[in-house]
Amino acid sequence: MPNQRKKIIAANWKMHKTFHEGIALLVELNMLISSKPTKHTIVVAPPYIHLQSAVHAVADTGIKVAAQNCHQAPQGAYTGEVSAEMLQSVGAEYVILGHSERRQYFGETDELVAQKIKAATDFGLKVIFCCGESLAEREAGTHFELVKHQITTALKSFQPRVIKDVVVAYEPVWAIGTGLTASPEQAQEMHAFIRETLQGLFGAEIANNTPILYGGSMKPANANGLLSQPDVDGGLIGGASLIAQDFFDIIHSIPA
Ligand code: PEP
């Protein structure tokens, strides 16, 4: 029997799309989705500056809006930063935290990500927590250890009631924006390992109910193979989410 976990397809626009381009993308996506509705959870993460308009653009469609980051402090003298409460106040429901680009270019550590998860969940945001190994770590065979360390460090201090609001996204860094994708077998192997890690930390109920998304060059051509794996509960999509038809085709690649 298929599991009862929520399936989620999330779009990470990164630093792409001007305001008008972004709204046009959402309008196109709305039209496609209303022509063929989905029972799954669809999330879009535009840049901060588009969030409030994105919330209005998807009102009544069921699409949820996410931010791509937030600051760990509730407020303060942090020029250029955005707090979790601000995100919640404009209607964002999710926030992506720990993305490898934040780790690589902005020096974010698992300890910092843990603080951000606390800030986000304190304001009722759901978190898409990203983890995943580099190519060197996979080649060295340390990828399981690394992912376990990332998950344990970022999540271990939280109560199960907080973890219920966390979605894990496994994103092998070597597959992000490179056109290389984990094979369905590689993804399934790591997702099962992540579930086992969650079970060790929080018990079977949390482990069985936490959605684990795959991210890394997912596109219409490879989505069905990945999304058919028993422990792959959806996708976090970068490049292909910038084209409404591709993102829509990925949504409908989830097996019935
Ligand atoms: C991402 O950055 O989260 C991502 C998965 O990007 P892409 O789909 O472009 O590899």
Side-chain angles (χ1 to χ4, degrees), residues 16-247:
H16 292 290
K17 303 287 179 191
T18 63
F19 178 71
H20 293 291
E21 289 166 352
I23 297 303
L25 174 56
L26 289 176
V27 169
E28 199 183 342
L29 190 61
N30 285 346
M31 273 165 37
L32 288 167
I33 292 181
S34 52
S35 71
K36 191 176 175 194
T38 172
K39 61 180 184 195
H40 305 302
T41 302
I42 309 305
V43 181
V44 290
Y48 282 141
I49 196 166
H50 307 341
L51 283 176
Q52 192 172 10
S53 302
V55 168
H56 287 128
V58 300
D60 306 325
T61 65
I63 298 174
K64 315 281 186 200
V65 173
Q68 300 173 17
N69 182 31
C70 71
H71 196 269
Q72 63 276 19
Q75 60 188 24
Y78 300 105
T79 302
E81 290 293 326
V82 173
S83 73
E85 187 177 19
M86 292 171 191
L87 299 178
Q88 185 256 356
S89 74
V90 298
E93 291 184 55
Y94 286 77
V95 58
I96 299 171
L97 293 175
H99 192 280
S100 63
E101 288 152 14
R102 300 290 321 167
R103 295 171 186 267
Q104 185 180 351
Y105 304 127
F106 302 95
E108 293 196 6
T109 60
D110 290 307
E111 289 77 6
L112 179 65
V113 175
Q115 292 175 37
K116 292 186 176 209
I117 294 173
K118 166 132 189 25
T121 53
D122 278 352
F123 284 99
L125 294 172
K126 293 185 169 55
V127 170
I128 301 176
F129 163 71
C130 303
C131 58
E133 80 285 357
S134 66
L135 185 59
E137 285 152 349
R138 180 158 281 263
E139 284 176 351
T142 56
H143 45 300
F144 291 111
E145 204 181 300
L146 184 275
V147 168
K148 184 173 186 173
H149 179 79
Q150 289 177 323
I151 292 175
T152 306
T153 313
L155 302 185
K156 67 171 185 243
S157 62
F158 296 103
Q159 297 293 324
R161 68 180 162 73
V162 174
I163 300 297
K164 284 200 177 77
D165 284 333
V166 176
V167 172
V168 176
Y170 168 59
E171 299 209 302
V173 180
W174 48 271
I176 296 182
T178 58
L180 297 173
T181 316
S183 67
E185 295 71 25
Q186 284 172 320
Q188 170 55 28
E189 186 184 33
M190 183 58 89
H191 283 226
F193 175 78
I194 290 172
R195 210 172 292 294
E196 200 181 293
T197 303
L198 292 172
Q199 171 151 358
L201 290 168
F202 305 109
E205 195 185 331
I206 290 282
N208 290 332
N209 290 321
T210 300
I212 306 176
L213 316 185
Y214 169 80
S217 299
M218 191 187 274
K219 38 189 181 274
N222 60 26
N224 179 262
L226 290 157
L227 295 168
S228 301
Q229 300 303 309
D231 286 292
V232 177
D233 305 311
L236 179 56
I237 328 293
S241 75
L242 300 173
I243 299 165
Q245 185 69 51
D246 284 0
F247 188 61

